[in-house]
Amino acid sequence: MSTILKVNQKMSDAEWQVRCDLAACYRLFVKFGWTDLIFTHLTARVPGHENQYLINPYGLLFEEITASNLLKVDFDGKVISGDYPYNDAGHYIHTAVFKARPDINVLLHSHTRAGIAVSCMKMGLLPLSQQAGEIQDLVCYNHYGVASKDHPEYCHQLGQDMADKWLMIMHNHGLLAAGRTVGEAFYFLYMLETSCKIQTDVVSSGVNYHLPDTASVRELAKTTAPKGDQPCNDVHIAWQAMIRLQNRLDPSYKN
C-alpha cells in the first residue's frame, strides 16, 4: 500500500518518513492514554512545502491512523489529498502556530485529565519533579479562546503566545507540544504530561510540598533546551525506542 500511495501521489521519501513517524505517534497516544475519543490532533509540516501539513482524518480512532490515510491540507484549509474531512479547531490551532514559527515542523495537542487539571491552576506548572525542571524554560501559557474562522484574533494570539517556547499550557483546555521532528515534540509532551500527573498527585494530597532550589532547576533546564538545528541525542534515542515499541505493538501504522 505504501508503494502505491507514493507512486500515485509522487510523494518524496522525506514526506513518507514524516507520515510514518506521525502515524506512529497517533498510535503511541493510544498506548499512553492521551486520546480524547477523536477530539485532539497531531500535525506535521509537509517536507518541502512549508504551507502544507498532515493531520488525522476526522472521525477515525487514533488506533486507525496510518501513514497513508493522513490528510494533506494547505494553510487555506484546502484538502490536497485524503478522503476525510479534518477537525476545524485542529486546522486553526495548528496553522496559527506554524505560521508564527517557521522553525517548528510538528505540533501535538492533547486533552488529558492531568494536563487540563494543571491548565486550570493559577499557579501554573511548578518545578516539583525532575521532569518539570527539565522543561521549565520551554513552557508558555495561553488564555482560553475558541479557535475558528470566526475568531481570527484568538488564532493570531495563539501564535504570538507560543513566541520562542516549545510547550504551551492552554488554560482550561489542554497541552500543546512543538518540535522540529515528531520525536522531539513527543519527548517534550511526555515530559510535560508526566509533570502534570505528578503535580496533580502532589497538590491533591493536601500535604506541604518541597521545591528544589532555583539554581538547580536552572541547571537542569539547560539539559533539555533545544540547541542547534537538530534535537538532542537523548531525544533521538528515546524516539527510536518508541518506534521499536510501536513496531512490536502493531506495525500497521506504516501502511
Side-chain angles (χ1 to χ4, degrees):
M1 181 184 296
S2 62
T3 301
I4 294 173
L5 180 74
K6 289 175 70 176
V7 170
N8 288 345
Q9 296 188 11
K10 297 180 180 178
M11 186 184 302
S12 69
D13 290 341
E15 179 179 335
W16 184 250
Q17 184 60 58
V18 170
R19 282 176 171 269
C20 288
D21 284 347
L22 190 60
C25 197
Y26 273 101
R27 303 296 187 91
L28 289 167
F29 262 52
V30 177
K31 164 67 177 176
F32 288 98
W34 296 349
T35 63
D36 180 19
L37 299 180
I38 59 170
F39 298 114
T40 56
H41 14 82
L42 324 178
T43 61
R45 203 188 297 266
V46 177
H49 300 276
E50 62 180 18
N51 295 327
Q52 298 175 8
Y53 70 97
L54 303 170
I55 191 170
N56 55 309
Y58 187 46
L60 292 189
L61 297 169
F62 282 16
E63 63 197 47
E64 297 174 311
I65 304 301
T66 66
S68 60
N69 68 25
L70 287 163
L71 303 179
K72 186 190 296 187
V73 185
D74 68 20
F75 283 9
D76 293 326
K78 177 184 177 182
V79 176
I80 298 169
S81 66
D83 299 324
Y84 285 80
Y86 56 79
N87 179 279
D88 282 343
H91 172 72
Y92 288 104
I93 289 171
H94 292 252
T95 56
V97 179
F98 280 141
K99 289 175 183 178
R101 288 283 301 277
D103 59 322
I104 285 174
N105 295 318
V106 179
L107 289 166
L108 312 179
H109 180 43
S110 66
H111 293 164
T112 62
R113 180 175 177 176
I116 295 173
V118 172
S119 80
C120 297
M121 298 179 184
K122 288 187 176 181
M123 68 183 73
L125 183 69
L126 299 175
L128 288 166
S129 61
Q130 180 164 286
Q131 289 86 347
E134 279 193 41
I135 59 172
Q136 198 70 204
D137 293 344
L138 308 184
V139 178
C140 64
Y141 297 85
N142 170 256
H143 289 299
Y144 185 80
V146 177
S148 73
K149 65 180 179 180
D150 297 324
H151 297 89
E153 69 288 343
Y154 172 71
C155 295
H156 176 75
Q157 190 60 51
L158 187 65
Q160 295 302 302
D161 286 348
M162 182 62 86
D164 61 347
K165 303 300 184 181
W166 298 84
L167 289 164
M168 175 180 282
I169 295 177
M170 304 171 74
H171 288 309
N172 311 100
H173 186 167
L175 309 177
L176 185 66
R180 291 160 294 185
T181 65
V182 175
E184 186 172 52
F186 178 86
Y187 182 88
F188 290 154
L189 184 62
Y190 179 86
M191 289 299 175
L192 180 55
E193 174 65 25
T194 300
S195 302
C196 289
K197 287 180 178 178
I198 293 169
Q199 180 162 321
T200 56
D201 286 346
V202 172
V203 172
S204 64
S205 72
V207 302
N208 292 329
Y209 50 80
H210 175 76
L211 289 173
D213 63 88
T214 302
S216 295
V217 173
R218 287 176 179 169
E219 190 64 27
L220 180 60
K222 294 177 183 178
T223 65
T224 304
K227 304 177 184 69
D229 297 329
Q230 297 296 323
C232 72
N233 194 46
D234 286 346
V235 168
H236 175 73
I237 293 173
W239 180 244
Q240 291 306 307
M242 292 300 97
I243 291 296
R244 293 195 304 275
L245 172 64
Q246 186 52 47
N247 283 338
R248 288 202 299 271
L249 293 174
D250 183 0
S252 67
Y253 73 91
K254 293 180 286 188
N255 292 340

